[in-house]
Amino acid sequence: MTVTYSSKVANATFFGFHRLLVKWRGSIYKLLYREFFLFISLYTALSVIYRFLLTESHKRYFEKLALYCDKYAEQIPVTFVLGFYVTLVVNRWWNQFVNLPWPDRLMLLISSNVHGRDEYGRLIRRTLMRYVNLTSLLIFRSVSTAVYKRFPTMDHVVEAGFMTADERKVFDNLQSPHLKYWVPVIWFGNLASKSRAEGRIRDSVDLQIMMNEMNRYRSWCGLLFGYDWVGIPLVYTQVVTLAVYTFFFACIIGRQFLDPSQSYAGHDLDLYIPVFTLLQFFFYAGWLKVAEQLINPFGEDDDDFETNWCIDRNLQVSLMAVDEMHMHLPKMSKDIYWNDSDPRPPYTLAAADYCIPSFLGSTVHMGLPDSVFLREDWMLEEEKHRRQNSVLRRVKRFLSVHEHPDSPNRAAFSRQGSDASNMFFPSPEANYTGNYHEVPSRARSHFMHSKRRVSSDKTSVPNTPLGDLSTIREASRSDTSDRQTSTEGNISPNSVVSVPEVLVTAADETRPISQCSIPVQSNSLTTTETSDNTENHQTVHDITPEKTVAEQDVQEVSQVEKQLTTDDEKRHLDRKDQPRRFHRWSDSVYHSQSSATSSQPKRKSLLNIPLLLTMENIKPAAQRDSSPDPSQPTSEEMINLLKHIDAKETDIVEFSDEKKEGDM
């Protein structure tokens, strides 16, 4: 008796549901018309009494009562309790439908696994399938009123062919006060085991699959029995029913149209017919009727399950599958697409619009202007990190503004942690020719970025060969990792020295190395790696200083301070005559590397500048250069630079030219 209207709403059209409003079978009108007419009758009778039968004093008392009922009727939570109740009922209704017992899986297994085309084999298959249908019939008799009316006694079940007379005797002789729907399940298991022993079921795996499927079928039947046994708590049903009925009882009094001459709030008009009150009753009472119809789908309502049809269908289909269709195959022949590797079934003219190409993804038709692979060293790890996390790029991404690939990238100044592999200088004898711009990558999680800017309103910073210093982003990294780095035997793998590090990035334009290289004064410091059992140590060869290192350092600093002002003025005058250069320490740190030219930007490390100055001072006088290279920064310049940088002694500072925001 289920009302099916799926074909009516297959396509969304203009007022597509209006055709469903005129149906009577299974409609809300059929469920609610009695209650609706009763509500209208009571409302009309009370209105007639108020208008024509009551005296003026009695009308005033009735009007006060109407105002009171109208005020407090809205405090009844009808929508809340009714909404939750109907949701619970609909969920139970759908779960019961999806757990209806269907024998299709079992009939497939029985037909394919129980062999024998003789009379006995046919008898085994049909008997097994009859036990399956008998199980569902016994459950339907206990939960469905429609099925119970069809099979009121077990005699009707025997007469209908679901059970034989002998089986009926065995069934009745089983003394049990409980529902015995599980008895055919036991018969099924015993007969299947006997068939396996007799060789009708040729493999124990097939027997196990059949038993597992029968257990699932029994679970479906048990679940229906459980839903029928344990329903929604009665108290919840009573609360919802009382909430709806008391609300509309109060509406019968409170929604009356009162005398407009009394000037009551909201009673300026006298329309006689409460249109919106009737609609409210129709919706709320109809909602309650929906729950009333779906709370037990095994009844005789228009939208209840067709359990009798299920019994007929299951018996007919299952017996045909295990008997007539057992090992009965049509003649095999080649299909029409035998030699076609790309079969395309034809379309009718009515379905021609549904022949569409295959969907290959939403990005298939998206064109990219720049689709050329970049080189592996197109950007260093730190620059990638700054490029991805810049504020300007985040704003552009938020505003959906795509950055042009040719736009210049803004270089940033960052302070990074030092690695143990960059802390030592290889000896000149090692002839190290590695690429020093390959700075070891530092993971994003190993450092944080905070911004520190060198303000121009502070004490004047003298001009240095590095030009203007701009933004410095710094982050402390106190811990020195124990990374064991060994590069062609020039660096001790176990030596870790906590010293500062200066990282400098090359400029965009290519300049001769002779103009930008800052070689370290040649020294004879060598790093000697001892065996694993001895401690690593450094030895200095051919060093005969006249004074100690500390005394020479103090003397050097004092001399620099005296000549600081004079050197700054000379340097300022020299820069006026020459075009401004953006200095980048991009070439080799060592003098042996200064001859290698490259147009590719490099990234170098000047390590432990005070240590370099000390090493220069402890050299013998004969080995020092008598005429220093004017293109190289002097020790005074380096000390002056380090004194005016706002950084700690243990910090690691990176200098770079930062382009203006206008260039972005």
Side-chain angles (χ1 to χ4, degrees):
M1 291 179 285
T2 303
V3 179
T4 302
Y5 58 91
S6 300
S7 61
K8 304 294 183 181
V9 293
N11 301 320
T13 59
F14 180 71
F15 281 104
F17 283 174
H18 74 282
R19 292 172 292 181
L20 304 178
L21 299 178
V22 297
K23 290 184 174 295
W24 175 256
R25 182 171 175 266
S27 64
I28 187 63
Y29 320 118
K30 185 177 179 180
L31 289 175
L32 196 62
Y33 75 93
R34 300 179 184 87
E35 290 84 352
F36 188 74
F37 286 150
L38 179 61
F39 179 79
I40 294 178
S41 300
L42 293 176
Y43 183 90
T44 304
L46 191 60
S47 178
V48 170
I49 293 173
Y50 164 71
R51 295 174 185 272
F52 302 106
L53 300 180
L54 296 180
T55 62
E56 292 297 326
S57 60
H58 290 165
K59 286 184 179 180
R60 302 290 85 82
Y61 284 114
F62 180 81
E63 290 169 358
K64 293 180 181 180
L65 179 61
L67 294 175
Y68 176 82
C69 293
D70 185 45
K71 177 180 179 181
Y72 290 98
E74 299 298 334
Q75 296 184 3
I76 301 176
V78 180
T79 305
F80 179 78
V81 297
L82 192 57
F84 274 101
Y85 184 74
V86 174
T87 302
L88 179 60
V89 169
V90 171
N91 289 335
R92 282 174 52 90
W93 168 78
W94 183 251
N95 288 334
Q96 292 180 72
F97 173 75
V98 298
N99 287 281
L100 289 176
W102 301 98
D104 297 55
R105 296 166 64 100
L106 274 170
M107 70 184 186
L108 172 63
L109 294 174
I110 293 174
S111 178
S112 58
N113 294 331
V114 181
H115 300 276
R117 304 190 64 177
D118 55 348
E119 193 71 18
Y120 184 69
R122 180 186 177 190
L123 179 61
I124 292 177
R125 289 190 297 272
R126 292 180 67 93
T127 304
L128 289 173
M129 207 67 248
R130 187 165 51 82
Y131 290 158
V132 173
N133 288 278
L134 179 60
T135 304
S136 61
L137 176 60
L138 295 178
I139 280 293
F140 284 144
R141 283 187 70 251
S142 63
V143 301
S144 175
T145 58
V147 176
Y148 188 81
K149 288 182 178 180
R150 183 181 179 183
F151 306 99
T153 62
M154 293 301 296
D155 295 334
H156 294 81
V157 175
V158 175
E159 185 178 355
F162 288 91
M163 182 184 293
T164 63
D166 295 335
E167 293 170 351
R168 164 70 187 281
K169 294 179 181 179
V170 176
F171 186 85
D172 292 339
N173 291 333
L174 296 175
Q175 301 298 325
S176 177
H178 308 294
L179 181 65
K180 295 186 290 186
Y181 76 95
W182 46 268
V183 172
V185 179
I186 304 300
W187 292 346
F188 179 93
N190 294 335
L191 182 57
S193 300
K194 180 181 178 182
S195 301
R196 173 68 181 97
E198 294 176 352
R200 298 289 179 170
I201 300 178
R202 299 176 181 176
D203 198 296
S204 298
V205 176
D206 298 335
L207 176 62
Q208 182 180 3
I209 294 174
M210 291 173 57
M211 295 304 299
N212 291 338
E213 195 59 38
M214 188 61 189
N215 286 329
R216 179 181 299 181
Y217 189 85
R218 192 221 61 83
S219 300
W220 291 339
C221 296
L223 189 59
L224 296 182
F225 180 75
Y227 274 114
D228 183 68
W229 177 29
V230 180
I232 297 177
L234 179 62
V235 60
Y236 198 2
T237 304
Q238 291 175 344
V239 167
V240 174
T241 305
L242 289 176
V244 175
Y245 287 167
T246 54
F247 173 78
F248 286 108
F249 179 78
C251 288
I252 292 176
I253 302 175
R255 301 295 176 86
Q256 292 288 337
F257 288 100
L258 304 181
D259 189 1
S261 61
Q262 300 300 320
S263 301
Y264 295 114
H267 292 273
D268 300 333
L269 296 177
D270 189 4
L271 300 179
Y272 296 95
I273 301 175
V275 178
F276 290 98
T277 302
L278 295 179
L279 291 177
Q280 194 174 22
F281 177 83
F282 189 82
F283 298 146
Y284 283 170
W287 210 355
L288 183 62
K289 281 295 181 181
V290 169
E292 182 181 341
Q293 184 179 26
L294 299 182
I295 193 171
N296 184 10
F298 296 102
E300 301 179 65
D301 297 325
D302 289 341
D303 274 320
D304 287 342
F305 299 154
E306 301 287 351
T307 51
N308 282 313
W309 173 86
C310 292
I311 293 173
D312 298 340
R313 181 261 176 195
N314 292 342
L315 180 64
Q316 192 273 332
V317 171
S318 60
L319 292 180
M320 183 195 308
V322 300
D323 189 7
E324 298 179 9
M325 296 185 62
H326 175 68
M327 297 302 173
H328 182 72
L329 300 175
K331 182 180 179 181
M332 292 187 297
S333 60
K334 295 182 180 179
D335 56 81
I336 61 175
Y337 307 106
W338 184 262
N339 296 321
D340 190 358
S341 60
D342 186 16
R344 295 178 181 271
Y347 284 81
T348 61
L349 183 61
D353 294 337
Y354 304 108
C355 182
I356 60 176
S358 299
F359 179 73
L360 302 179
S362 58
T363 61
V364 172
H365 302 290
M366 184 179 70
L368 294 178
D370 298 329
S371 58
V372 181
F373 283 114
L374 299 174
R375 301 190 305 271
E376 295 182 357
D377 55 349
W378 71 282
M379 185 181 293
L380 297 177
E381 295 295 333
E382 292 81 3
E383 295 179 359
K384 290 181 182 178
H385 177 71
R386 293 193 296 269
R387 176 183 175 89
Q388 295 173 357
N389 293 275
S390 63
V391 178
L392 183 59
R393 289 182 62 84
R394 291 183 179 179
V395 173
K396 288 183 177 181
R397 192 179 297 112
F398 176 76
L399 299 177
S400 299
V401 178
H402 299 283
E403 182 179 358
H404 195 271
D406 297 334
S407 62
N409 297 323
R410 180 177 180 269
F413 308 104
S414 63
R415 171 178 298 172
Q416 302 177 359
S418 59
D419 292 328
S421 59
N422 294 332
M423 290 300 148
F424 299 98
F425 301 96
S427 60
E429 293 81 359
N431 193 16
Y432 184 79
T433 58
N435 193 354
Y436 279 91
H437 82 277
E438 296 178 355
V439 181
S441 61
R442 294 164 177 85
R444 180 178 179 181
S445 61
H446 289 177
F447 57 88
M448 299 169 56
H449 290 283
S450 61
K451 294 186 177 180
R452 179 185 297 176
R453 294 192 175 274
V454 181
S455 177
S456 60
D457 57 353
K458 294 183 180 180
T459 59
S460 60
V461 181
N463 295 327
T464 62
L466 295 179
D468 297 334
L469 296 179
S470 183
T471 307
I472 298 178
R473 294 190 303 178
E474 58 184 1
S476 299
R477 178 178 175 179
S478 59
D479 58 331
T480 303
S481 61
D482 296 335
R483 295 177 54 186
Q484 297 182 358
T485 308
S486 178
T487 309
E488 298 183 6
N490 298 322
I491 300 175
S492 177
N494 298 322
S495 301
V496 178
V497 180
S498 177
V499 294
E501 177 186 16
V502 180
L503 301 180
V504 186
T505 308
D508 295 337
E509 66 276 1
T510 305
R511 295 181 290 104
I513 297 179
S514 61
Q515 298 180 10
C516 64
S517 62
I518 306 177
V520 179
Q521 300 297 331
S522 62
N523 60 82
S524 59
L525 177 64
T526 60
T527 304
T528 305
E529 179 179 358
T530 61
S531 61
D532 296 339
N533 298 326
T534 61
E535 298 180 355
N536 295 330
H537 61 277
Q538 295 179 352
T539 59
V540 181
H541 303 280
D542 301 333
I543 297 179
T544 57
E546 298 177 358
K547 298 180 180 180
T548 63
V549 176
E551 293 176 355
Q552 292 181 6
D553 190 22
V554 173
Q555 182 180 2
E556 185 71 24
V557 172
S558 63
Q559 293 177 1
V560 170
E561 291 178 351
K562 293 179 181 180
Q563 299 178 1
L564 181 61
T565 306
T566 305
D567 295 340
D568 292 340
E569 294 177 355
K570 291 181 180 181
R571 198 177 300 107
H572 182 68
L573 294 176
D574 294 340
R575 284 201 180 98
K576 290 184 178 180
D577 299 334
Q578 298 178 359
R580 184 176 178 180
R581 297 183 304 172
F582 292 93
H583 294 274
R584 297 279 184 111
W585 298 354
S586 59
D587 296 285
S588 173
V589 179
Y590 313 105
H591 188 69
S592 61
Q593 297 288 113
S594 61
S595 61
T597 60
S598 174
S599 60
Q600 181 179 357
K602 299 179 180 179
R603 194 174 182 85
K604 305 302 178 188
S605 299
L606 288 180
L607 309 173
N608 204 354
I609 298 302
L611 179 61
L612 296 181
L613 298 176
T614 303
M615 293 166 57
E616 178 186 357
N617 293 329
I618 63 178
K619 284 184 179 183
Q623 295 183 6
R624 300 181 184 178
D625 295 337
S626 59
S627 59
D629 190 356
S631 62
Q632 303 174 359
T634 63
S635 302
E636 295 84 0
E637 296 174 351
M638 297 298 301
I639 294 177
N640 181 32
L641 173 62
L642 295 176
K643 288 177 63 177
H644 290 83
I645 290 180
D646 187 11
K648 299 179 182 179
E649 183 180 1
T650 59
D651 288 342
I652 302 167
V653 185
E654 178 187 13
F655 305 100
S656 175
D657 290 333
E658 179 177 4
K659 296 184 180 180
K660 297 181 179 181
E661 296 294 333
D663 297 338
M664 297 299 293

